[in-house]
Amino acid sequence: MKRPELFRDQEYAPGSVGDIFRLIRSGAVTSRSALARKIGMAPSTVSLRVDALVRLGLVTEGDNELSRGGRRARSLEVPGSAGFVGAMDVGAHHVQLAIADLTGVLLVVEDVPVSIEDGPSSAVERLWCALTDLVVANGLEPELLRGVAIGLPAPIEFPSGRVVLPSFMPSWHNADLPALFSAHTAVPVLVENDANLIALAEQSNVHPETDELLAIKLGTRIGCGIISSGRLHRGVGGAAGEISHTSVEGTSTISCVCGAPHCLESVASGGAIVARLAAEGYDVRTASDVVELGRGGDAHVVDVLRTAGTSIGGVLSSIVNFFNPRDVVLGGAMSASAPLVAAIRAELFQKCLPLVTNDLEVRAASSPGDAGVRGATHLILEEVLAPARIERLVRELDGAAAS
């Protein structure tokens, strides 16, 4: 099956039907008359383009708005019921699935038992089955699925979505998930680094006014998502934010594919702490187990967590000094560890310039339990509702009507 064309970065003309849809979706305008004033076009032309969006089912006209004099305008909005998208947050020890409507409202969020150890092909088949089961269980029409986005704890090549050298999923190297999903569906499938999705969730859903933000994923691995000038910054190939392969003091307790001696991930990540404590006789298997031990007040575990936090904070301090963000957002299972987070904060405020820390807020993710799927929802909606894609849909609709 041919991979779907992507539209999120394609250009569109001001005043086009795609641009009109963008304005309605953003809430910048809520009536035909307001659209005509906003874009400076004849009301009759605007109405023709709005009518096309109404025929597509992507725009509805609701109750009349308050009048400025004369006939009251009818409000325009994007109905959530016009379709839905799937979102997946794939971790080392969990997979979280979500379904959201076209306004971004999460309709259902559910953890599913999908193992990643058997490789990407097997995992994709199980993920697709789990998503379709969730769709049916919630009474949704499968043909209204418009797209899927997946977050992975791994470097993701941009824009292809290819997985590159995942540190703890070696069998996933070079995995082309969009191509694997194309055996099951023709809708767009996007793949993104999980820390980038946390950054998107925090910036788009929680603090849209934030232009400069770092989102740190503290889980089995360590990742960093970057919002710069209000947009997700991926770098040239998608590797921006791979801070975990910086060499630090300490001893590696897990192997890493990066080749850097004693990199941050192999020394201070949740996976590295689990390996260290397990070797010392502790009954731990996941990062969440380590957090619970720390809450229990075990002095040695607390010391290990503080040391890891100091290492993480030390690497972050250089990046924060360089980037000067307003927010450093901490997410992932390990962000629930008070000793780890306290050590990170202490290191940042000790080593960063006063000019940097004056306006710096170091905080937990607003909703860490579902930040990944919220970010994935935003990512896929920006694709399936992209103005250029809406233009294509309208042309196809007009062509079908003419034939």
Side-chain angles (χ1 to χ4, degrees):
M1 188 179 293
K2 184 180 178 181
R3 180 179 296 184
E5 182 181 1
L6 299 182
F7 291 81
R8 54 187 165 177
D9 295 321
Q10 292 187 19
E11 294 183 357
Y12 57 91
S16 64
V17 67
D19 187 35
I20 285 174
F21 178 78
R22 178 188 65 83
L23 290 169
I24 296 171
R25 181 181 171 226
S26 69
V29 291
T30 57
S31 70
R32 295 178 188 239
S33 57
L35 273 168
R37 291 193 299 270
K38 177 79 173 178
I39 60 182
M41 297 182 73
S44 58
T45 302
V46 169
S47 286
L48 286 173
R49 294 176 180 178
V50 171
D51 288 342
L53 294 170
V54 171
R55 292 198 305 274
L56 275 173
L58 290 174
V59 169
T60 59
E61 288 186 287
D63 297 332
N64 291 342
E65 296 185 323
L66 293 176
S67 174
R68 296 186 177 183
R71 189 172 61 183
R72 291 188 295 176
R74 298 181 66 191
S75 62
L76 299 171
E77 61 183 19
V78 177
S81 58
F84 61 91
V85 294
M88 305 179 181
D89 183 15
V90 179
H93 301 288
H94 81 286
V95 174
Q96 188 175 70
L97 294 185
I99 296 173
D101 68 18
L102 293 192
T103 65
V105 173
L106 295 181
L107 304 176
V108 58
V109 179
E110 187 172 303
D111 291 327
V112 296
V114 176
S115 174
I116 65 172
E117 285 82 3
D118 296 334
S121 296
S122 177
V124 163
E125 183 174 355
R126 293 173 185 171
L127 285 169
W128 178 250
C129 288
L131 178 60
T132 53
D133 288 346
L134 201 59
V135 167
V136 172
N138 286 273
L140 300 171
E141 299 179 33
E143 61 271 18
L144 291 181
L145 175 67
R146 293 181 176 266
V148 179
I150 306 154
L152 288 175
I156 305 297
E157 183 183 68
F158 179 79
S160 71
R162 183 174 64 95
V163 183
V164 181
L165 293 174
S167 56
F168 64 91
M169 303 186 302
S171 65
W172 286 63
H173 177 54
N174 276 329
D176 186 343
L177 266 64
L180 291 173
F181 269 98
S182 70
H184 304 281
T185 181
V187 303
V189 176
L190 304 181
V191 184
E192 187 58 85
N193 171 268
D194 56 355
N196 284 351
L197 294 183
I198 294 175
L200 282 176
E202 288 296 310
Q203 193 265 346
S204 62
N205 299 337
V206 184
H207 295 281
E209 75 286 353
T210 299
D211 288 335
E212 316 294 337
L213 176 149
L214 295 178
I216 313 302
K217 174 69 180 289
L218 302 171
T220 300
R221 70 181 294 272
I222 299 170
C224 176
I226 304 167
I227 298 292
S228 177
S229 298
R231 296 175 61 87
L232 181 64
H233 176 70
R234 296 184 177 89
V236 174
E242 287 297 325
I243 66 171
S244 60
H245 304 302
T246 304
S247 294
V248 296
E249 293 184 6
T251 302
S252 298
T253 57
I254 57 174
S255 60
C256 185
V257 296
C258 73
H262 307 297
C263 72
L264 183 66
E265 185 159 306
S266 66
V267 172
S269 67
I273 297 172
V274 166
R276 174 175 175 176
L277 293 178
E280 293 172 349
Y282 286 87
D283 182 19
V284 290
R285 295 178 178 81
T286 68
S288 296
D289 293 339
V290 175
V291 172
E292 288 303 315
L293 280 176
R295 285 176 178 154
D298 184 298
H300 177 64
V301 173
V302 169
D303 184 60
V304 169
L305 288 167
R306 285 175 177 159
T307 301
T310 299
S311 295
I312 296 167
V315 171
L316 275 180
S317 64
S318 297
I319 298 164
V320 170
N321 268 332
F322 172 78
F323 182 56
N324 190 23
R326 182 172 299 277
D327 294 270
V328 173
V329 179
L330 305 178
M334 296 299 295
S335 69
S337 167
L340 182 88
V341 170
I344 292 173
R345 287 180 57 87
E347 200 74 1
L348 285 176
F349 284 93
Q350 177 182 345
K351 291 189 174 179
C352 291
L353 293 170
L355 186 60
V356 171
T357 58
N358 281 343
D359 297 314
L360 179 67
E361 183 178 0
V362 182
R363 59 181 174 83
S366 301
S367 181
D370 61 7
V373 292
R374 286 188 293 111
T377 295
H378 174 80
L379 182 72
I380 192 61
L381 284 176
E382 290 301 296
E383 169 58 37
V384 301
L385 300 180
R389 183 181 290 277
I390 302 305
E391 294 275 0
R392 170 75 65 84
L393 292 175
V394 169
R395 289 197 300 271
E396 291 174 350
L397 179 68
D398 291 344
S403 62

